[in-house]
Amino acid sequence: MDENNSNNTPQRFAAGTISKPDSFEYGSTFSPDGTLFFFGVDLGHRAEIHVARFENDAWLESEVFLSHETISHNDPMFSPDGKRLYFITDQHAENSFDIGYVEKTQNGWSPVKIATGISTPATEYFYSESRAGEQFFARNVSKPDEKPNFDIYFRNASTPNEGSRLTSSVNSQYYEGDPFISADGNTLIFVSNRPGGAGKGDLYVSVRSTDGHWQPATHLGADINSKGHEITPYLTPDGKALIFSRDGDLYWVSASSIGQ
């Protein structure tokens, strides 16, 4: 599977096969061997996860991977070792999401499980993990009658806590979500609707310095961000391309656009 895209202008990913004009695609991840591509599809009243296979130098039509009549599943993301496929699901409470996952077994995939230590009575959105086991996700800590307050949190998989909010280098008083951490744990790409952006929601990046601190987030610029809504960033396993969703289509662009 060719993960490379040397173009600095975002192009629709697998246009007509995966990115379709009559559907809303967002959130994506490759299987460890690069032959499968998992992504979310918004059906309006719920979301489901689809999977497409790469064969003979082309992407085949996708199939439904995880779906339910009333429960949503979306924002798929593989763990670094490829043994788990994480996603968000509202199977426990209406209008409240948790981080769920399925595990790869000899007989296929396990039933859906909820990620303990991350999922709380609050809403948790989007999940990514570095090779070192640092887990990043968004959490809304507001009450039902309050304005949503999404910020980005992290925890170490070996530490029994519910996660800590990242500093003001990343979070602001505005919406922050969809955090993607690079495999080496040093580059964090996320979504924010803070002032100064190009549209409804833009992609930003923060880089971790050698002393372990996150540097002030920077806007990814007009080549990536548009007047629309950019969400669900994802770096391909080889680190050479960035995939994201813009207004219901998946796009990809050279990772050199973010300094990779």
Side-chain angles (χ1 to χ4, degrees):
M1 199 282 308
D2 182 10
E3 299 166 2
N4 301 325
N5 182 3
S6 59
N7 201 318
N8 288 321
T9 301
Q11 308 290 323
R12 281 183 173 84
F13 182 78
T17 304
I18 292 175
S19 294
K20 299 181 178 181
D22 57 347
S23 64
F24 192 110
E25 303 91 15
Y26 63 120
S28 61
T29 187
F30 284 105
S31 61
D33 64 4
T35 63
L36 299 176
F37 184 73
F38 295 76
F39 59 100
V41 177
D42 189 347
L43 302 178
H45 59 290
R46 62 181 178 86
E48 59 188 19
I49 296 174
H50 289 202
V51 58
R53 181 178 294 276
F54 192 77
E55 288 185 4
N56 300 321
D57 296 324
W59 288 104
L60 305 182
E61 285 288 334
S62 65
E63 299 177 352
V64 175
F65 173 76
L66 190 57
S67 181
H68 189 277
E69 292 180 355
T70 59
I71 297 171
S72 283
H73 306 90
N74 57 300
D75 292 345
M77 188 70 66
F78 268 102
S79 59
D81 61 11
K83 295 180 179 179
R84 289 183 175 182
L85 179 66
Y86 286 90
F87 45 84
I88 68 171
T89 177
D90 60 353
Q91 70 177 46
H92 279 180
E94 186 177 359
N95 299 321
S96 178
F97 282 83
D98 291 318
I99 306 296
Y101 65 91
V102 290
E103 294 179 300
K104 185 69 173 178
T105 71
Q106 292 182 344
N107 299 318
W109 294 92
S110 72
V112 175
K113 303 177 182 179
I114 298 299
T116 58
I118 299 175
S119 297
T120 69
T123 282
E124 280 80 29
Y125 251 91
F126 208 85
Y127 174 94
S128 64
E129 181 181 341
S130 70
R131 282 194 298 261
E134 284 187 311
Q135 302 170 323
F136 290 76
F137 53 94
R139 175 177 287 151
N140 174 22
V141 297
S142 65
K143 297 178 181 178
D145 58 344
E146 296 177 340
K147 182 180 179 180
N149 180 23
F150 278 95
D151 282 320
I152 295 172
Y153 288 70
F154 78 101
R155 70 188 290 272
N156 194 295
S158 62
T159 304
N161 62 53
E162 295 179 349
S164 302
R165 181 182 179 275
L166 286 183
T167 67
S168 58
S169 293
V170 173
N171 288 309
S172 71
Q173 61 179 306
Y174 299 91
Y175 173 94
E176 279 81 35
D178 296 4
F180 179 83
I181 188 67
S182 60
D184 63 9
N186 292 326
T187 302
L188 181 68
I189 310 169
F190 62 96
V191 177
S192 180
N193 66 355
R194 65 188 64 181
K200 299 176 182 178
D202 288 356
L203 299 184
Y204 289 76
V205 62
S206 177
V207 176
R208 182 149 39 187
S209 61
T210 55
D211 62 5
H213 292 92
W214 291 103
Q215 299 304 298
T218 58
H219 188 261
L220 285 187
D223 288 339
I224 292 178
N225 292 309
S226 70
K227 293 181 180 179
H229 201 175
E230 281 75 31
I231 59 174
T232 62
Y234 170 71
L235 287 174
T236 54
D238 62 6
K240 294 183 178 180
L242 169 69
I243 298 179
F244 61 94
S245 180
R246 174 189 290 163
D247 294 339
D249 278 327
L250 290 167
Y251 285 76
W252 67 333
V253 66
S254 170
S256 63
S257 301
I258 58 171
Q260 295 293 292

